[in-house]
Structure formats: C-alpha cells, structure tokens
Amino acid sequence: MDHYNELMARVVEAIKDGELPRLIPSLDCRVRLTVGDQKATLSIRNGEVALDGDAAQADVTVSASPEAWSRVLQTPPPATYHSFTALQMANEEFEISGLPLEIARARPALERLFELVVRAPTKEAAIVRRDITTVLGRYQPVSIEGTVYDIYFEETGTGVPVLFLHTAGADSRQFLAQLADTGLAESYRLMAVDLPFHGRSMPPASWDGAPYKLTADLYQAWCRAILERVVGEKAIVAGGSMGAAMALVLAAESPEHLLGIIGIEPPFRSKGRRNPYQHNVNVHGSLHNSAYVRGIMSPMSPGSERRRASWIYSQGAPGIYPGDLAFYSDEFDGAVTAPKIDASRTPTVLLSGDYDYSATPADGAKLADLIPGSLHLTMPGLGHFPMCEHPDYFRPYLMRALEFIRAAR
C-alpha cells in the first residue's frame, strides 16, 4: 500500500472516534491533507467529520512529501512526526497553511486525528502500587511582600522532603501519581503545590483583575516562601518544564533552601512556546490549550493518561498559561542561569524525554555541560509531561535522580 492510501485508510478509521464530537462543537472547517501531488479533504461540520471529495477550498492544509508522510506512518514515528502541533512547530518537512485563527480553531480536532493516525506501542513498565487515599490536601496562608496568598498543597509520606513544582498553566494534579506512590512515601515526604492563580490556589483577595504575568522574581519569591513556611525545611525541588526552569533558578540564586534539584524536561531557551490563541476571545481556550499540550506528549505513553494530563490544561483560568510563559518562554535563559549553579553544593539532575520538542534532550545536555557534576538522563519514549503521561515508566528515572542526590549529600 502506498503512503497516500495508508494515510487515508487510517483517517477513515480515525473519523469514527467517539471523542472527536466533544472537540469540535460548532466548528465548520475543511482540512486538506496533501501527500505529494495527491490530496484529500476532510469536512468538519455539525459535530461530525467526513471525507469531502467535492471540496474546492480548504481552511487548513497539511502538506508534505510522500517520504515525510512515511515517517508519520512509521511504528512508532520519530520525534516531531508524532502529532499535528509537532508538525506545525518543529518539523520543517511539513507545511501547515491557512489563517492562524482557523488553524487554532481546528487544533483540537487535528491533534486528536493525528493521535489516532499515528501507531505506537505503549512503553512497558512495572506496575507501581499507589494509594490515593494517603494524599492529604490543605491550605496555608503565606504573606509575601504584603500580599497574602492562600497556598493549596498536598502531602504524604515521611523522610527526605521533596517539593514538586508543576508546569506552566497547570497545577499539582500532575504529580498525583508520585504522591500516591506508596513505595516513594516510605522514604520521602512528598509535597506538591498549586502556585497562586493555579488550580485550587485562588488569586489573592487584593488582585484587581489585571492581566496575569509571571516573572522570575515573583516566582522565586513564591517558592522561597513555600519552602520556608509550607515545607519548613530544606528540600529536593523537582519541577516540570516551567518548574524545572525555576528549580534551576533556585539552585543558582537560593541554594540555601535546597537539598538538590530535579529538572523534569528542563528548557535551555524555550522560545516559541507562546501562541496568540492561548488566550483569545475568538478561540475556545480550554479546547485549544489542552490540544496544544497534547501534541507535546509521547505517542508511546498510554492514551488514557495523555487524555488525563491534557484535561488539567482544559481547566486553567483564562490568561494564566500565556502569563506563565512570560517567565518560561520569554525570560528564562539557561545559558545565564546554569553556570551559576554549584552542583557540589546543590546536586542537580536533568531528565529529558526524547519526544519533547519544547525542552529537548539536546537542551538538557547543553545545561548539563554548564553544570559540572550534574547528571543528565534521556528518557526514550517520553514527552513533555512524563510524571503524568506515563508515571509508571517515569518512576525508575525519578528514583535514579533521587538516589543520585542522596548519594551526593
């Protein structure tokens, strides 16, 4: 079977998907797939997707050579060939054309369709024993420079304290699998926090409703206060993405609060993560943002876990995700921060999934080169959210990171 016919056979099966109707309410769009000189058009209308051989025009076109499409059809596909947003943002072999607004509106449908077109075996992993009933949540009011924040956090276990920091636009639910891990809880005091404006940590009562924008100074002030008044002792800080960037900042600027850091998907410079439709009245933000992050996960992670991981992004408050990216994508620079870290004082581990096109293994390697004595591990078959997209497969990497830090102390 040639590449075009193989692609069409997979598309025909994909459009029967039961999840698609939830992702395309009121969407009226035509999508053209071009494989060399062969073309097919999908019509999305009234909550249904169908092949439309008569369509003369298309709102969004996805074009590439047969050779490029063949890599999408591989089992598993290489990184940057595994999702629609990867093709758009990180793959020079594909051309995505159409008005940016139309692409943004179609993103939830296209991300799901490509998720179904792609074939990839789930990475096998040992089953981890978890007990969610051991995880307890509560609030702690914290005053920072005259502003009172009611910080929500969850905690379990006893032993060496570990504080988990969530990614941009998300909340501490990303680390629920680690908190519920009964084996981890035997040796570690595990804590995960919702930053102010995220999850269950409400904006302060003094907030006047102005646009939210996270800066390195504000984020660091929040984290120092959390370490001092919520954790109450030195801790290993394990942060994902934006949280990884802040873990590096804390190691560089506030090492006295730390036992060590674990950067989960650490960026070097993550320019380009901003998208004008992350917060735009013309686009359904919950659908768009959850699809935007869905494309940065690994096709080898379980589909059910990827769906749950993206669900968190469907519930973020308007403007918070792009407001976080003011720090993560605009301000943070690993070339400036990493050389300030003394790994002999603050043991440093960097964990990079090879399907992550935002914070790549190459980024992790560049950071490690600037932090002598640090440990960098590439995690084959994982994407940008390893702690929640495939927590069982991620666990051995987390354990190795924790053991490295404890051995270095």
Side-chain angles (χ1 to χ4, degrees), residues 178-201:
Q178 286 73 49
L179 266 63
D181 184 327
T182 56
L184 274 177
E186 290 176 357
S187 301
Y188 296 93
R189 178 190 173 205
L190 305 166
M191 306 180 72
V193 64
D194 289 356
L195 293 176
F197 295 86
H198 299 73
R200 292 140 295 190
S201 292

Side-chain angles (χ1 to χ4, degrees), residues 266-268 350-352 359-371 374-378:
F268 190 75
L350 308 171
L351 304 176
S352 303
T360 65
D363 289 340
K366 285 193 290 186
L367 289 167
D369 286 344
L370 295 174
I371 310 172
S374 63
L375 173 65
H376 175 232
L377 301 175
T378 296

Side-chain angles (χ1 to χ4, degrees), residues 32-51:
R32 179 160 294 150
L33 305 177
T34 300
V35 183
D37 58 0
Q38 295 181 285
K39 302 175 182 178
T41 304
L42 295 173
S43 175
I44 304 173
R45 188 179 295 112
N46 299 324
E48 296 182 352
V49 184
L51 285 171

Side-chain angles (χ1 to χ4, degrees), residues 252 333-342 367 370-372:
D333 188 340
V336 174
T337 300
K340 299 179 182 178
I341 298 173
D342 179 358
L367 289 167
L370 295 174
I371 310 172

Side-chain angles (χ1 to χ4, degrees), residues 84-105:
F84 169 73
T85 304
L87 299 181
Q88 182 192 21
M89 297 187 64
N91 193 309
E92 295 182 353
E93 290 198 81
F94 278 77
E95 180 183 358
I96 312 297
S97 57
L99 294 175
L101 177 60
E102 295 298 331
I103 294 172
R105 286 173 171 167

Side-chain angles (χ1 to χ4, degrees), residues 152 154 164-176 192-195 197-201 311-313 315-316 324 387-388:
Y152 178 84
E154 293 178 336
F164 294 108
L165 298 178
H166 58 73
T167 68
D171 59 57
S172 65
R173 286 176 293 173
Q174 291 181 319
F175 293 98
L176 186 56
V193 64
D194 289 356
L195 293 176
F197 295 86
H198 299 73
R200 292 140 295 190
S201 292
W311 182 260
I312 296 170
Y313 273 84
Q315 297 179 329
D324 282 342
M387 61 282 189
C388 51

